[in-house]
Structures are given as C-alpha cells and as structure tokens.
Amino acid sequence: MEKIKKYLSKFRPNWRGALPVVLFFGAAFLIVAVFFGLQFVMTASVITVLFQIRHARYNSWGYLFRQLVICEALALFAMIATLDTPLSLLLNFTIPFALVFLQSSQFVPKGYFASAMIFVFLQFMPPEPKDFGVQLEVVLVCWVFLAIVLKLYPYLQRGKKQAKPTVQTLHTGLKQLSQMLTRIADGETDDDFSKELYKLEDTYHRMAYQMQTVFQKGDHGKNALICWQSCSSEVFIWCGTKLGSRTKFSKMPCPV
C-alpha cells in the first residue's frame, strides 16, 4: 500500500509534465497525416523533440526563425543523403560533426541533440525525389505549428506571458553574490548559508541553460562573456569583445 501511495504521488506531476508533449505530438501527427499523408509523419516526431526541449523556455521570434532555416536545411541534407551510398556516408559524417561543433558548448553540451534528431530521423522514411519539395513544405507547416504553440504556451500554462530575463535580473543576482562573498570573508559558513549559496548557483545555472541566447549580443553586436568579481563589496562585470580571432576583455562596474 505504501508503494502504491508513493507511485501515485509521483505519477500526477509526471503525467502533468508529459501531457503537453503528448498533446502536441498528437496534433502535429494529425496535421501531417491528414494534409500530407502518412509517409511524412516522421516530421511530427522530430518537431515534437523541439517542442519538448523548448516549451518551458523563452523563445524569441529570432530564435524561431533560425530554427526554421536550420530545420529546412537539415531536411534537405537528410533527403540528399538517401540518394546514394557515397552521399549518405559523406553527409552522415560531416553534418553531425558540424552540429556538435556549432551548437554545443561547455554550458549546453547537448545543444546539438534536437538538430541531430531531425537530420537522422528524416532519413528513416525518405520521400521519393519528386516529393522532396513536399517534405520541405511539411517542415514549414510543422514549424508554423510549433511557433504558434510555443508562443501561446506561456499564456495557457500560467495565464501570463513568460518573462524574459533582463540585465536587472543579472544585477540583482550579482548583488546577492557580493553580499554572500562578504559573509564568507566574515567567516559565515553554516549549513543554512551553504543552502542559500547553492540555491543562487542553481538559479544562475538554470537561467544560463534555459535562456542562453539572451545576453549573447549587445547593442553593437558584441559577443559578451559575463562573469563577476567581488572585492570590498564592489561587483564588476567582465565583457569580452571579439576582434577577429582574438577577444579583448574589459572590466566594467556593475551598478548594484
């Protein structure tokens, strides 16, 4: 009886978390099957992977349009790879390597996963060469459906638009960190303080993972690497500006 209660207590949140993905896949499958035919339903599966990864995060229109270009290109490469064996070997070696190189980092080591799934899965049920254009249309329709659902999902989930993190969010966290480092210097290292510090660290890890594109570019196209330094209750931000193949770092005071 105790095991059943424990299972039921876990089942509800797990089911609630999986339900949006299940409903999305069902709707995408029906759209593709009804309007294009069962031979193209694999697209519904790969677009569901994107929804599963992105539905709880902030998704800008710029990000979504980039995903459209990537999805269409990967669909085209996947279809070309099914034409003959040499092309298949060449593309199945170079495309995954390029995705890992371009889309993964130390902060998002599996950033290539969704794109790789699109490229690989679309080779499982390849259309005839005369239907390559139809496959690209299916990808476009699925992307439109994905974009609409991702934009509406925050309203359906919480009744309000999903908040986009701002520089003020960063400043608030840096101020908290500065205060914590001062407390460490004063010798405060009890369990409650450790939990508080871990909670702040976890918050930044989640924000970096979920919103990794928010602070990538400044007003002048600078690629910024943001870190912090605390000294005598002052907090600084180190910004790195790319100059060709080199990066110039400058220290800026953070107004906290």
Side-chain angles (χ1 to χ4, degrees):
M1 194 66 179
E2 197 67 33
K3 289 184 178 180
I4 295 176
K5 288 182 179 179
K6 193 176 292 186
Y7 172 78
L8 290 176
S9 65
K10 294 180 179 179
F11 176 80
R12 194 174 202 183
N14 290 342
W15 169 249
R16 187 178 299 170
L19 185 59
V21 180
V22 173
L23 293 177
F24 179 89
F25 173 74
F29 184 93
L30 287 175
I31 290 172
V32 175
V34 170
F35 292 101
F36 298 98
L38 291 175
Q39 67 268 34
F40 297 102
V41 293
M42 188 61 72
T43 310
S45 299
V46 297
I47 214 72
T48 301
V49 174
L50 278 175
F51 174 77
Q52 184 177 12
I53 294 173
R54 300 297 310 186
H55 73 280
R57 308 180 195 175
Y58 175 79
N59 299 282
S60 66
W61 282 112
Y63 169 82
L64 292 173
F65 279 114
R66 287 195 299 273
Q67 284 302 309
L68 172 62
V69 174
I70 292 171
C71 288
E72 292 284 10
L74 290 174
L76 182 60
F77 284 130
M79 290 184 290
I80 293 174
T82 62
L83 293 177
D84 59 47
T85 302
L87 281 174
S88 179
L89 292 174
L90 176 65
L91 292 174
N92 278 281
F93 175 77
T94 56
I95 297 299
F97 178 81
L99 292 175
V100 172
F101 180 75
L102 295 173
Q103 296 189 340
S104 62
S105 68
Q106 60 179 338
F107 300 110
V108 193
K110 295 185 179 179
Y112 63 90
F113 180 75
S115 298
M117 291 280 284
I118 293 171
F119 176 68
V120 173
F121 274 40
L122 290 183
Q123 296 180 60
F124 291 162
M125 296 176 64
E128 295 293 328
K130 62 183 177 64
D131 293 326
F132 280 6
V134 179
Q135 177 65 78
L136 296 179
E137 290 179 16
V138 174
V139 173
L140 175 61
V141 170
C142 286
W143 174 86
V144 171
F145 178 62
L146 173 69
I148 291 172
V149 174
L150 287 178
K151 284 298 184 181
L152 290 179
Y153 185 80
Y155 296 98
L156 300 175
Q157 183 71 5
R158 301 178 185 144
K160 59 182 181 180
K161 188 174 181 179
Q162 193 170 354
K164 176 180 178 178
T166 62
V167 174
Q168 185 58 44
T169 309
L170 179 66
H171 287 176
T172 302
L174 290 174
K175 184 176 182 180
Q176 289 179 295
L177 180 63
S178 176
Q179 294 169 348
M180 287 181 177
L181 293 176
T182 302
R183 289 160 63 185
I184 291 175
D186 292 339
E188 184 177 348
T189 56
D190 56 20
D191 290 341
D192 291 337
F193 175 76
S194 298
K195 290 178 181 179
E196 188 179 349
L197 183 61
Y198 175 79
K199 184 177 179 181
L200 179 64
E201 179 187 8
D202 184 63
T203 299
Y204 269 92
H205 283 173
R206 289 177 181 274
M207 187 172 71
Y209 178 70
Q210 296 179 359
M211 316 291 184
Q212 67 233 24
T213 60
V214 174
F215 298 114
Q216 277 186 358
K217 290 190 176 180
D219 295 336
H220 304 289
K222 296 178 180 178
N223 292 323
L225 172 66
I226 300 178
C227 54
W228 52 80
Q229 172 185 345
S230 177
C231 180
S232 303
S233 74
E234 291 184 299
V235 179
F236 299 92
I237 298 177
W238 288 89
C239 289
T241 305
K242 281 196 171 183
L243 301 173
S245 60
R246 299 170 58 191
T247 302
K248 179 182 178 182
F249 289 95
S250 56
K251 185 170 70 172
M252 300 171 57
C254 179
V256 296

